[in-house]
Structure formats: structure tokens, C-alpha cells
Amino acid sequence: MTATTSEPYTPIAPRAHQSPHPSPPPSPHPSPHPSPDRSQHRRHRPPRVPRTGGALVAARDALTLVLLPLPLLLALPAAFASGGTRRWFGGRAESQRAEAQAAKDAAAAAFYELDTAQRDLRISIETIKAVDDTPAARRAVADFEGLGRRIDEASGQYINAVDAHDLDRDDLEASAAGHARSELTRAKEELGRVKQDLDRFADGLGPLLGKAETQLARLAPSVERARQSLLAASNALDGVRGSGLRADDLAARLAALGPELTRLNQGAGQHGVPETLERADRVAREAEGVRAEAERLPERAAEIDHRLVSLRTRAEALTTRSGQVEPVLSELRRRFSADCWQDLQHVPEQAADHVRQAEARLREAQAARDAQRWPDATALLSTVRALLNTTDEAVSAAGDRLRRLNAVQKDPQSEIDRTRFAIRDAQRLAMSGRNTPEPRHARPLDESVARLERAIAGLEGRHPDYWHFLTETEAVRQAVAGVVTRIREERGGPTVH
């Protein structure tokens, strides 16, 4: 009778191998480069379940052993201990299996860490990509895509190593376990190297990410501020209209902002974060301008009314003063040479013409104010003011000319002394701390002395040109003042104006 061993277990149902590290949740941002199915690293093996009738076989084998002769029974332990049977505890194969399993666990941990880091970094890259379109941001996105390809390669190496070796096999040889440990260790090291590169890349994203997060943080407040500014402008405009002022130009400006508000409501997802921020700031600024002008409109209307009255009164006063220019000219002609008054000959005609123009513009400004065309009314009033200023200067020039000529005719020495004092003061400054003055300072001062002497000589004769004398002395004083200013600037002292 021959001994029969019990039949081995035959798998009939699948058994899932549990990974020591759970798979991370799927990323909300798909990678531009699809990675291999990293879930494949979970190898499925069926559990061992005894065949139906295994107990009957075991009982039959036991009965067979009882019926064996004694010599054969003594030989059985040696047969089971001989080659071809697996040692269930200890031995080199089990040690290699444990080392391979440890390498597999370490590789799985490295795989999970790398996958988690990539998911987190993808969120940062998407933030930068949505906000920043500078060359630096585009380069960062491209570099991340390159790292993604390296991550896929390292992950594929790890998954292939896991799939190539079943460490749960009962007949796993020591050499196979050692080979598995080597491949899994290499996969783990490659995952670690890629993780280090990914960490360095993430550290370099700090400035770009900070800028992007700052803009994102500004987005909602900026859009809300624009909406509130538009609402405030609309309310201010309604208040102005309630007081009887039309403000058509302000209403048109506010209506032009309507499409911009629509784009703001469509969101940054459609128009981009930088463009939305710029639009929100522009809408808020323009709406604030409309609001401010609307609130100031009643005051502006009152100011225009006041200016109309004031300029009309001034035009009437200048009309009266213009009539006094002719007597002043008559006296100038009678007492002084022609050079003293020829340039004032046309003042009466010019003054009358300017006053007529100013009165016509005043009537136009009144019509614009009645029509509530505020910009037109303001522009016309500015024109009226310029015309009246010119007329006032011309009318005043005739009387001022007569006054100054009377003064110099009575006492020319006062004007001479005033000019000589200015020259001497400049000469003392030029000689301060020096034995000889700088030629660039001495030359214009010497020329001023000679020019003053010529002006004094021009006073001799029966009909001296007092006006020429006055203009010459004034020009000399201006030239001397320029020399003083240059000296003080060169020496670092205060300038004199």
C-alpha cells in the first residue's frame, strides 16, 4: 500500500491584497499628461479554500498511515524532511520574502507621498495659471508638466515592479524575493528623487503663488466695490434729478458703465482674473467720479449763477474804465515823447472790442446754463474771464504808464540809485572770499554798469525818453539778479528771486 498526501488548496474565489497605504482621493484638476493607472499596484490573488470533501480525504490518508508497516512509518519523517518540501518557518527564503515585503511597503509609502505632493502642487499651478500670464508663469506651468511626465515614469516603474512579483506565493524562491526587493528598492529611490525635485520646484513657486493669491484675494472685494460705487452713483443721480436738474451728461456716463457691470457679473472664469480686476477698478473709479459730480451739481449750478453775475458786473465796470483811457493818452502825448506812449495807441479800441466779445459770450453762457449744459457754460465763462483780464491789463497799463513816467520825470535819481545798489551788492558777493572775481561773474556785472551809464546819458536833451530809461534800468536789475542767483547756486547758498 502506498501513502497518499492530502491535496493542496485550490482557489475558487478572488482575494484582494490590501495595500498598507490607502490610495489618495482623485485630484480635482486632471493632469495634462495622463499617468498610468496607479491602482494596478494592488495585486489581486484568490484565497485558498479547501475543496469539497477534504475531510474525507484526510480521514482516508490517516487510515492508510495506520495500515502501513512499521519500517515504512519510521521512514516517513525523513521523506518529509528531504528536498522538494517547503520549510514553513525560518530559512533564507522567508528572510528574503520579509525584506522584499519591507521594500514594497517603503515604495508604496514613497508612491503615496509623491502622489499627494503632486495633487497639492497642481492646485497651486492652476491658481497661478488662472491669474498670471507673464513669461515666468508660463514657464512654471511648462516645468510642472515636465515634472508630471517624470512622475508618471517613476510611478510606472513602481507599478511594474509590484505587478511583476507576487510576494504571497507559497513557493517563492529566495532568489526571486531578492530580485523583487532590488526592483522595489530602485523604484522607491526613483520616487524619492522625483519627490525631491518636486519639492524644490514648489519652493521656487513662492513669489508667483503669493502674487496670484493676492490677486485672488482682491477679486471679490474689488467687484463688490465696483457694484457699490455704481449703486451710489445711481442714487446720487436720482437725488439731483429730484431737485430739478437734468444732469444728462452724467446719466449718459453712468449708462455707459452698464455693459461693464454685465461683464463683472459674468465672473473671472469667463474674462480672466487680471482683466476682471482691472475692469472692477475702472468701473469703481468712473462710477465714483459720476457720484462726486452728481453730488456737487447743485453747488456747481449755484457757482455758475454767481460767476455770471460777477463777470457781467466786471464787464460793465471795464466799459466805464475803457472810456477813461483816452484822456490818459492825451496827457501822455502832451507831456512825453512819442516813444513813451505809441504802444498804447490802440488800447481804447481793443478794450471796447474785448468788452463786446465778453458780453456776447456771457449771453451764450446764460443760455447754456438755462439748458443745463454745464460744461458749455463753464467753458464760455472761462473765455469771458480771459477777455476781461486782457482788457483790464490794457486799461491799467495806460494809467500805470502815466504814473511811472511822472515819477521818473520828477526824480530820476531814485531809479538810478536803486539800480546802482543792486549792482554793488552783486559785486560784493562776487568778491566775497576772493582777490579777483570769476570772469563769468565779473563780465555781466561790468556790462550792467555800462548799460546803466548809457541809460542815464539818454536822459539828457530836451525830450528825454523816460520810458526807455525805465525799461533799461529794470532790465539791468534783472540781469544782475541772474548773476547773484548763479553765484549762490555755485556756493550752495540760498538764491534770491
Side-chain angles (χ1 to χ4, degrees):
M1 180 180 298
T2 59
T4 59
T5 60
S6 62
E7 297 180 11
Y9 294 142
T10 304
I12 62 174
R15 179 183 64 183
H17 172 66
Q18 299 298 326
S19 173
H21 300 280
S23 176
S27 171
H29 305 279
S31 172
H33 302 283
S35 60
D37 186 1
R38 299 177 186 174
S39 63
Q40 293 178 359
H41 75 285
R42 300 177 178 84
R43 184 168 181 84
H44 300 280
R45 287 187 56 82
R48 297 186 178 276
V49 180
R51 290 182 179 178
T52 306
L56 296 178
V57 174
R60 186 190 63 188
D61 292 344
L63 178 61
T64 301
L65 289 175
V66 170
L67 298 178
L68 283 175
L70 181 59
L72 292 178
L73 288 173
L74 295 175
L76 280 176
F80 281 104
S82 63
T85 61
R86 180 169 177 238
R87 297 174 62 184
W88 293 95
F89 301 100
R92 183 169 179 272
E94 288 305 315
S95 175
Q96 292 291 334
R97 184 198 299 271
E99 293 178 0
Q101 185 61 49
K104 181 179 178 181
D105 293 344
F111 172 81
Y112 179 74
E113 291 178 1
L114 178 60
D115 186 70
T116 301
Q118 184 188 21
R119 291 172 189 270
D120 294 341
L121 189 57
R122 182 177 288 114
I123 296 175
S124 300
I125 288 294
E126 292 298 331
T127 300
I128 294 172
K129 187 176 179 181
V131 173
D132 198 348
D133 193 34
T134 61
R138 292 195 295 270
R139 185 165 56 250
V141 173
D143 292 344
F144 179 73
E145 293 175 355
L147 280 172
R149 290 188 289 270
R150 285 192 57 198
I151 292 172
D152 292 342
E153 293 172 1
S155 300
Q157 179 182 348
Y158 159 73
I159 293 172
N160 292 336
V162 171
D163 290 343
H165 304 286
D166 184 5
L167 301 181
D168 294 332
R169 287 204 330 264
D170 294 337
D171 58 346
L172 182 66
E173 299 292 338
S175 60
H179 184 61
R181 178 180 58 80
S182 299
E183 290 190 3
L184 289 167
T185 299
R186 286 195 296 272
K188 180 252 183 185
E189 292 174 351
E190 180 61 21
L191 289 170
R193 283 191 291 270
V194 177
K195 174 67 164 50
Q196 291 177 353
D197 293 342
L198 192 67
D199 291 341
R200 283 193 293 269
F201 175 74
D203 292 339
L205 286 181
L208 287 175
L209 184 59
K211 176 183 175 183
E213 290 175 344
T214 299
Q215 290 193 351
L216 285 177
R218 287 179 49 209
L219 184 61
S222 296
V223 173
E224 182 61 23
R225 184 168 57 253
R227 293 190 181 118
Q228 293 301 322
S229 298
L230 284 170
L231 179 60
S234 178
N235 292 337
L237 197 57
D238 290 342
V240 167
R241 286 172 167 174
S243 66
L245 299 175
R246 291 197 303 271
D248 295 336
D249 56 332
L250 296 179
R253 287 167 56 185
L254 188 61
L257 296 177
E260 296 297 312
L261 179 61
T262 301
R263 296 185 182 94
L264 286 177
N265 291 332
Q266 289 171 347
Q270 181 171 346
H271 299 286
V273 174
E275 291 79 4
T276 302
L277 280 172
E278 181 184 357
R279 180 174 290 111
D281 292 341
R282 184 176 66 254
V283 168
R285 185 171 57 253
E286 294 180 3
E288 178 62 23
V290 171
R291 182 200 63 78
E293 291 189 32
E295 291 180 350
R296 188 179 175 274
L297 194 55
E299 178 184 351
R300 185 181 183 185
E303 180 184 351
I304 288 177
D305 291 339
H306 175 73
R307 291 180 65 187
L308 279 167
V309 174
S310 175
L311 290 175
R312 191 175 291 114
T313 301
R314 187 180 177 191
E316 293 172 357
L318 279 175
T319 301
T320 303
R321 289 182 59 199
S322 298
Q324 299 173 357
V325 174
E326 190 60 43
V328 171
L329 289 176
S330 297
E331 185 172 355
L332 287 171
R333 296 189 192 101
R334 179 171 54 83
R335 294 177 52 200
F336 300 98
S337 64
D339 293 334
C340 295
W341 48 262
Q342 277 185 344
D343 58 322
L344 301 177
Q345 279 289 89
H346 302 291
V347 167
E349 294 82 0
Q350 291 176 352
D353 182 59
H354 287 169
V355 169
R356 283 192 299 271
Q357 293 182 37
E359 290 174 345
R361 300 291 88 76
L362 278 171
R363 288 190 293 271
E364 294 175 6
Q366 182 66 59
R369 190 264 176 261
D370 294 340
Q372 297 189 22
R373 291 184 286 109
W374 312 112
D376 293 343
T378 302
L380 287 167
L381 289 176
S382 298
T383 301
V384 171
R385 182 179 180 182
L387 286 170
L388 295 181
N389 286 343
T390 302
T391 305
D392 194 2
E393 291 174 1
V395 171
S396 299
D400 183 68
R401 178 78 57 87
L402 179 59
R403 179 185 60 79
R404 294 182 63 187
L405 290 174
N406 284 334
V408 73
Q409 184 184 42
K410 181 179 180 180
D411 183 18
Q413 190 61 41
S414 177
E415 186 73 12
I416 296 171
D417 292 342
R418 178 185 174 192
T419 307
R420 282 178 174 168
F421 176 81
I423 295 173
R424 286 196 299 269
D425 189 59
Q427 289 173 338
R428 282 195 298 269
L429 180 63
M431 289 296 297
S432 177
R434 303 180 59 88
N435 294 325
T436 57
E438 288 282 349
R440 64 178 180 275
H441 300 151
R443 186 179 303 109
L445 293 178
D446 292 342
E447 291 176 355
S448 297
V449 172
R451 190 173 180 181
L452 176 60
E453 295 300 329
R454 288 194 297 271
I456 294 173
L459 294 178
E460 299 175 358
R462 183 175 179 183
H463 297 289
D465 189 349
Y466 289 107
W467 185 241
H468 175 73
F469 172 75
L470 287 174
T471 55
E472 277 293 286
T473 53
E474 183 176 355
V476 168
R477 288 194 297 270
Q478 290 178 354
V480 169
V483 174
V484 171
T485 299
R486 288 194 297 272
I487 294 174
R488 295 189 182 279
E489 288 176 349
E490 292 171 3
R491 298 180 182 180
T495 57
V496 177
H497 299 284

